[in-house]
Amino acid sequence: MVHQTNANDLVALYRHALAARLLDERLTVLSRAGRIGYHPDAQGAELVIVAATAALSETDWLFATPRDHAAALVRGASFAEYVDHVVGNI
């Protein structure tokens, strides 16, 4: 089945990628400062991760790797939920 992408979908994908980049930058700074554990950055891969996640159906399983925080954001996780996960609060 071919999915037609409209302008609103593209803007939403861009916003997810931008949010992932901002989150990644902040987590990288915190990691380098020793405030959180190791955080492998994913800069430059955000759009690929967002697009691949968006192509999945809602019932498809997603097994994210440490660099796939963009996938968590696309699937509806908030910044706070993801950061809690990163620092081990959940």
Side-chain angles (χ1 to χ4, degrees):
M1 179 166 87
V2 175
H3 175 71
Q4 297 296 323
T5 305
N6 62 35
N8 290 334
D9 292 336
L10 295 175
V11 170
L13 292 174
Y14 176 77
R15 286 185 176 165
H16 283 301
L18 180 60
R21 170 66 64 101
L22 295 174
L23 178 59
D24 188 57
E25 288 174 352
R26 183 64 181 146
L27 291 174
T28 299
V29 168
L30 291 172
S31 177
R32 289 181 181 161
R35 305 287 307 273
I36 63 172
Y38 176 69
H39 171 73
D41 69 47
Q43 291 188 12
E46 299 92 349
L47 286 173
V48 173
I49 298 165
V50 166
T53 305
L56 298 173
S57 73
E58 290 294 320
T59 58
D60 287 336
W61 286 39
L62 178 67
F63 295 95
T65 66
R67 288 188 166 93
D68 288 342
H69 54 280
L73 297 176
V74 171
R75 283 291 177 103
S78 69
F79 274 22
E81 289 170 331
Y82 188 78
V83 170
D84 278 347
H85 173 70
V86 169
V87 299
N89 288 341
I90 57 173

